[in-house]
Structures are given as C-alpha cells and as structure tokens.
Amino acid sequence: MSSKAGYHGVILSIDLSTGKAQKVAIPSEDLDNFVGGQGLGIKILYDRLKKPGVDPLSPENPLIFMPGPFSGLPVPSSSRTCVVTKSPITAPRKSDFSHASTVTYSNMGGFFGPEVRFAGYDGIVITGKAPVLSYLVIDDAKVEIRDASKFKGMRTDAFDKAILEELGDRKYKTVYIGPAGENLVPYSCILHTAGRAAGRGGAGCVMGSKNLKAIAVRGTGQPGVADHAGFLSALDKARSVLNGSAYAKSWAEQGTARGIVGNSNAGTEAVRNYREGTFTEAEKIGAGTARRDVWVRDIACYCCPLACKKSGMTKGKYGGIVHDGPEYETGVMLGSNLLISDMAGLLKVITSIDDLGLDQISTGNVIGFLMEAYERGMINRGFLDGIDLKWGSVDATLAIIEKIAAKDGVGALAAGGVRALAWQIGQGSEKFAIHVKGLELAAHNIQANLPRGLSYATASRGACHMSGDNVAMQNRRAILDSTGMCFFPTFEPALEEPMLSLLSAITGRQFDKAEFEKTGERIFNLEKMFNYREGFRREDDRLPDRFFDDAFTLGPKKGAVLNRDVFEMTLTEYYKERGWDPETTKPGASKLKELGLHYL
C-alpha cells in the first residue's frame, strides 16, 4: 500500500512576490512521520527556514494552512485547520538573532480545511509579499491573485459578506484578516465565518505582512482512503460512540462556556489580571445565563455532532447579533479577568475584537494589565489617551480595543503585548505582565494549578493552555492536532479505539496507541528543535512572578500560591522525562535518534 494513501500527496505552494503557484510533492516519509495538520506544518516550516533568526514579517517566512488526513472525509468533528508559521510576538531572553522567535500554530474549526482537501491539496504554503493588498482564489487547480484594495480596512463581519458576494458562489470557503492584521498588530488573528479564528501567536500579523487580505477555496474532489471497508466500520463505531455520549450532549448544551462558572468555583479562573482564581459574579456571564437570555442557535463545524458554537441576540445599549460567545476563553479573558459581568457588554466586546481581527486571549490579557497598572497609579489617563480604564468598564474596554487595532496612541504600545508594555511602564509592572516567551497566558489561572503552569512554561508556542499538562498529554495533543480532528470529542474515552482505526484505514499505516503517541512525541521534539535553534533555553520556560508571590485572597483556593522550588524541580523532572538536557533543554542525541530525528 502506498504511503500516500489517504493523501493527495501535494501542497499548493504560492509565492505572492512572483505570482507563481505550483503543486509541490510531499515526501512520503514526511506523511508517515508527521501525518498532517500541526505535525506536517512544523516539518515544512523547519525545512523552509533553513537558518534561525528570519524576520517573521519578512516575505521568507511561510504561512502554512494545514488540514489533516481526516479532513474532507465524513469523520466526526474533523473540521480543524492548523495555521503554522514563525511567531511575530515571541522572543527568547537572550539570542544571537535579533528576530528570534518560536514556532507558532493556531488551530481553527469551520469548513476551510476540508475544502482545501476537496480542492486537491493536503495544505497551502504561502511565501512572498503581494505588491498591493490582495486575495487568493483557489478553484480546484485554478489559482488567481486578485486585487483587494477596495476591501482595505474592512472589518471581518462586513468582509465575510462582501467577499462571498464578489465571488458569486457561497460554496467558496474563506479565511481573512481584519484591520488589526493589516496594521500588523503582533497578536492579530485569522478569521473564518466571522466567528472562528486561528487566534494565537500572530498568524494574522504574518498574513498582513504578505499584503494578503483573504483566501477563498472551492473544491469538487475528495481524498481517498486505503481501506474502504475498514474505514466504514470504524466510522460507524465513532458515530455510535458520540451519538450516545454525555460529553457530546454537554458540548451542544453549554459549549465551552460551561467552564466559566465551573472553573471559578474551582478557584482556577483568570480573574482581575490573574490576581484571583474566583469571580464572584461568574453566574452572570456563564452558560446558564447565556442559554436563557442570549443563545437561540447551536452551530456545528464540518461533520461535527457537538455543535459547541452558539449564536443569538442581545438588546439594550450593547444590543446586537452574537456570532459566538461567550466561550470559556473569551468569557473569562474579557469578562472575569476584567471584572466585566454585564453579559450584553461582554458580548459586544467579544464581537468587536473578532470584527477587528484580534486574538481574544492576548487582547483581554493586555487590557487587564493596563487596568491594573492604572489602578496602581503607574499610568494615568494621559497615558491612556483620556480613557478611564477602570475594572469592569465596558465602554473603556471598547475604546482601548479600537486603539489597539489601529495602533493609535496608547494602542501602538498596547499592540506590542504585555511584555512590551511592562518594558515601557517599568515600576515593577513586569511582575504582573502575564506572559511566557512573550505570548500572553490563556484563561486558566495557576496559583492552584501547577500542571497547567507546566503547560504554559513548556509549550512550544509560548504560554499555551492547549498544549498539555504533562509529557503524555503534550504528545497526544500534538498528534491530535495533526489529524484534523477537534480536541473536544476526545474527552469521550471510548472514541480512542475507533479514532485509531480510522487513521489506520485512511492512511494504510497501522496506528496503535503507542505509535500514535510516539508520532506526537516526534512532532513536539521537532518544535523544540526549531525553538532551540532560535536560542530558547531553560531560562525562557519561566512563569511570571505573580504566581509565586501573590496568593489568592478569596474563593475555595484562598491562600494558594506556587512554590518556586517545587516548580523548578517539576521542570527538571519534565526535561528528564523528555530526554532533554535539564540545564539547556536541548533534546538528547539518543532521544532524537529514537524518534527518527537524528538528522537534526
């Protein structure tokens, strides 16, 4: 059986500088070793950037859209596309290269990845820079670069409608940036369907640096499978598992927003710029309130029985259509973290950030940092261009968001993230600048959650809550994000066996649990080698001082704080388990050889 079974065996490579588009064969061994999605994207990035220190905003940096082998097939929850590039927001504490940064990968659902596979490709790799703002149209084998000048500055909601009207066919699936991406805000994101995002790590900034407003894809084919009978059998099992799953039903009922109240009650939520772990008004912005007062429709991605996305309508001062939210991350980072408990106001903030094309997590973190600095008297209203940025203020939050996206006044500083703001403000503000390697933390607080702290410290793209809280979880997440399947249905343990059977039947390569997780380990180690090549060392796997010094003052985890000695010991044990040098964090030669990465 060919190693290309289940794949087209090609990526679409586009150079915006020359206008050249070509199919490029994917080496069979790369499909075997890295599968697709995150894994194959990382391998392409590593190979394309032959040397460290490449400017993430240079034409040389590839922007990679990578579905997986599940994409384009009727596999449950197989909607995901991994966007891989070199990050414009991270940096090591020391490096020989002025533009050193981490790999970044951002995973979005919807319908774009499957459509890429329908069009006959296993991924899209974009380099170069268009001479004017442009958009790509990919219609099976036909590729065009079109002028997008008339769309310049258009927000994502309006653009989502305008681009489909111009194309004249709603079968096109589109991804695009907003004003923040065009203005090169380092934590701008890429949007799809106006509410799904490749949010973390600044992929939208990289897309903007290429003068690329959007990509539209339409395909009429479908990938094949190696073992059709085996595929149908495994597919039937996977569907049966999820159809009877309490997990699946809970996603449909409450989405990720169910965690807003749950994590607050557990004392592990980001509250008041991570000063606390419990938000006393969490019920006002939780899933129960949203289901009662806002949500009217549950929305699913491609082939997904979970339907975790929600839409509805709010009324009053902040009334309007709700594309999505509150989700856990958006509800916490822009609600609990800013002490905003007005549901309609919160949803207005969420909608505005998506409309401008900003990462919800980093934006909420930046605003929380500014609110605390303002409260402490480290900055004044003059610094904030007259904005009275008090805790809980929806109007002030909306005003600062507009400034960030436009890089206007204080927004030009805030666009650099919390690390850049702390450098500017000084006065000890770095203690509560909540980031790792320059990427802001997500909505899970860690004074009472050491494993999540380890995830933030050691994740490849900077502070990442999705990477995994230990070695085994990290390996598993890396391979999951390489298949094209969403992470959420895998909360159902019974899905594991049919999932492995599906991957085996599609690719013709037998994946048992051990091989599956070893492949994830290979991917994670390749990411580490990319970062190590850029200059990242143990001193970069460092958490902000807040988590060691500022104990919670309320809630069930009152008094909780991390212990520095315990954290350092945990890090050392982590590196040893990984087979990395505990001092430098460089993967050992024997580990690389074991994983087939000896050539690195």
Side-chain angles (χ1 to χ4, degrees), residues 57 87-89 180 183-189 201-206 407 414-417:
L57 302 187
S87 176
I89 195 169
N183 293 330
L184 304 186
V185 175
Y187 49 92
S188 53
C189 66
C205 182
V206 174
K407 282 188 169 178

Side-chain angles (χ1 to χ4, degrees), residues 437 457-458 537-543 567 571 575 585:
K437 302 179 180 71
T458 60
R537 300 294 185 266
R538 178 169 179 152
E539 64 186 6
D540 298 298
D541 294 353
R542 177 177 172 182
L543 296 172
F567 175 70
L571 266 184
Y575 300 137
T585 72

Side-chain angles (χ1 to χ4, degrees), residues 323-569:
H323 285 301
D324 183 40
E327 295 181 309
Y328 177 73
E329 294 295 331
T330 60
V332 172
M333 292 311 303
L334 301 161
S336 307
N337 191 52
L338 307 184
L339 303 188
I340 290 176
S341 59
D342 178 330
M343 176 67 86
L346 168 62
L347 291 171
K348 176 65 174 178
V349 169
I350 291 169
T351 300
S352 296
I353 290 176
D354 272 346
D355 213 18
L356 292 164
L358 289 163
D359 172 22
Q360 302 267 359
I361 292 173
S362 283
T363 304
N365 202 307
V366 166
I367 296 171
F369 172 83
L370 285 171
M371 283 180 170
E372 180 162 354
Y374 183 50
E375 178 189 42
R376 289 174 177 268
M378 294 178 176
I379 57 176
N380 56 26
R381 288 183 70 166
F383 182 96
L384 295 167
D385 299 334
I387 299 171
D388 190 16
L389 195 60
K390 292 182 178 178
W391 296 109
S393 174
V394 173
D395 289 338
T397 297
L398 291 169
I400 203 77
I401 289 166
E402 294 285 340
K403 284 189 166 287
I404 291 171
K407 282 188 169 178
D408 172 42
V410 67
L413 287 173
V418 296
R419 179 175 56 180
L421 280 168
W423 287 340
Q424 179 70 25
I425 295 169
Q427 305 175 72
S429 61
E430 65 277 0
K431 175 180 177 177
F432 56 87
I434 309 300
H435 72 90
V436 174
K437 302 179 180 71
L439 183 67
E440 290 79 12
L441 270 66
H444 302 258
N445 214 337
I446 54 176
Q447 278 96 327
N449 192 351
L450 175 60
R452 187 56 48 86
L454 183 71
S455 176
Y456 286 136
T458 60
S460 302
R461 64 180 182 179
C464 174
H465 66 296
M466 293 296 291
S467 177
D469 294 351
N470 55 52
V471 170
M473 286 176 67
Q474 288 178 340
N475 294 342
R476 183 175 176 80
R477 298 279 178 86
I479 179 60
L480 274 172
D481 283 348
S482 303
T483 64
M485 177 174 276
C486 179
F487 165 64
F488 292 160
T490 64
F491 277 83
E492 174 51 69
L495 186 64
E496 180 172 79
E497 188 277 326
M499 179 184 67
L500 294 175
S501 297
L502 280 166
L503 188 58
S504 300
I506 292 167
T507 64
R509 178 185 169 201
Q510 293 305 305
F511 281 91
D512 58 15
K513 184 176 181 180
E515 184 60 28
F516 189 72
E517 294 178 357
K518 184 177 181 180
T519 305
E521 185 180 13
R522 180 181 302 116
I523 293 164
F524 198 91
N525 274 264
L526 181 60
E527 294 167 6
K528 177 61 181 179
M529 288 301 293
F530 182 98
N531 290 353
Y532 189 85
R533 186 171 69 174
E534 293 283 319
F536 289 87
R537 300 294 185 266
R538 178 169 179 152
E539 64 186 6
D540 298 298
D541 294 353
R542 177 177 172 182
L543 296 172
D545 288 341
R546 160 142 292 169
F547 301 116
F548 302 100
D549 298 340
D550 297 339
F552 293 152
T553 66
L554 54 84
K557 300 297 183 181
K558 181 179 179 179
V561 69
L562 291 181
N563 180 287
R564 290 183 188 273
D565 292 337
V566 171
F567 175 70
E568 290 299 327
M569 181 178 66

Side-chain angles (χ1 to χ4, degrees), residues 158-202:
F159 180 78
D160 183 59
K161 300 176 179 69
I163 186 67
L164 290 175
E165 183 176 337
E166 172 149 313
L167 291 166
D169 188 345
R170 296 189 64 82
K171 290 181 181 177
Y172 278 100
K173 308 305 177 190
T174 58
V175 293
Y176 37 82
I177 58 173
E182 293 178 35
N183 293 330
L184 304 186
V185 175
Y187 49 92
S188 53
C189 66
I190 298 172
L191 272 293
H192 168 54
T193 66
R196 297 173 172 94
R200 308 246 62 205

Side-chain angles (χ1 to χ4, degrees), residues 56-374:
L57 302 187
S58 70
E60 186 179 352
N61 185 25
L63 180 65
I64 303 166
F65 293 82
M66 195 62 60
F70 286 172
S71 304
L73 294 166
V75 177
S77 305
S78 56
S79 67
R80 309 303 289 187
T81 307
C82 206
V83 184
V84 181
T85 189
K86 187 181 180 190
S87 176
I89 195 169
T90 57
R93 291 176 178 271
K94 300 175 186 176
S95 178
D96 295 332
F97 314 106
S98 58
H99 292 295
S101 69
T102 64
V103 63
T104 193
Y105 45 88
S106 196
N107 199 303
M108 66 180 174
F111 306 89
F112 186 77
E115 201 71 26
V116 170
R117 294 262 284 169
F118 295 154
Y121 311 104
D122 292 317
I124 301 170
V125 180
I126 299 168
T127 55
K129 180 178 181 178
V132 298
L133 190 67
S134 303
Y135 70 98
L136 283 167
V137 181
I138 303 166
D139 190 357
D140 285 330
K142 184 180 179 182
V143 181
E144 293 181 80
I145 302 175
R146 298 184 184 177
D147 192 315
S149 298
K150 67 180 178 182
F151 298 120
K152 185 174 178 61
M154 188 174 285
R155 301 186 182 213
T156 63
D157 196 7
F159 180 78
D160 183 59
K161 300 176 179 69
I163 186 67
L164 290 175
E165 183 176 337
E166 172 149 313
L167 291 166
D169 188 345
R170 296 189 64 82
K171 290 181 181 177
Y172 278 100
K173 308 305 177 190
T174 58
V175 293
Y176 37 82
I177 58 173
E182 293 178 35
N183 293 330
L184 304 186
V185 175
Y187 49 92
S188 53
C189 66
I190 298 172
L191 272 293
H192 168 54
T193 66
R196 297 173 172 94
R200 308 246 62 205
C205 182
V206 174
M207 191 162 165
S209 76
K210 299 186 180 304
N211 256 344
L212 185 61
K213 178 69 174 178
I215 307 170
V217 179
R218 181 176 65 179
T220 57
Q222 190 174 37
V225 300
D227 176 5
H228 194 252
F231 172 76
L232 291 177
S233 176
L235 181 62
D236 185 60
K237 290 178 183 176
R239 287 171 170 171
S240 295
V241 165
L242 292 177
N243 285 342
S245 168
Y247 285 103
K249 292 177 182 176
S250 68
W251 287 113
E253 175 61 28
Q254 296 193 323
T256 62
R258 62 183 179 170
I260 294 173
V261 173
N263 283 13
S264 175
N265 290 342
T268 57
E269 192 153 290
V271 181
R272 201 172 146 222
N273 194 33
Y274 300 82
R275 182 65 183 81
E276 302 291 351
T278 298
F279 185 38
T280 57
E281 297 184 286
E283 292 279 358
K284 294 181 180 180
I285 58 170
T289 300
R291 174 60 70 188
R292 184 190 69 219
D293 297 341
V294 180
W295 296 338
V296 296
R297 184 182 175 199
D298 304 324
I299 304 173
C301 296
Y302 174 82
C303 275
C304 186
L306 272 60
C308 71
K309 294 185 75 64
K310 314 299 174 191
S311 67
M313 177 76 73
T314 56
K315 298 179 181 179
K317 178 181 178 181
Y318 303 111
I321 295 172
V322 175
H323 285 301
D324 183 40
E327 295 181 309
Y328 177 73
E329 294 295 331
T330 60
V332 172
M333 292 311 303
L334 301 161
S336 307
N337 191 52
L338 307 184
L339 303 188
I340 290 176
S341 59
D342 178 330
M343 176 67 86
L346 168 62
L347 291 171
K348 176 65 174 178
V349 169
I350 291 169
T351 300
S352 296
I353 290 176
D354 272 346
D355 213 18
L356 292 164
L358 289 163
D359 172 22
Q360 302 267 359
I361 292 173
S362 283
T363 304
N365 202 307
V366 166
I367 296 171
F369 172 83
L370 285 171
M371 283 180 170
E372 180 162 354
Y374 183 50

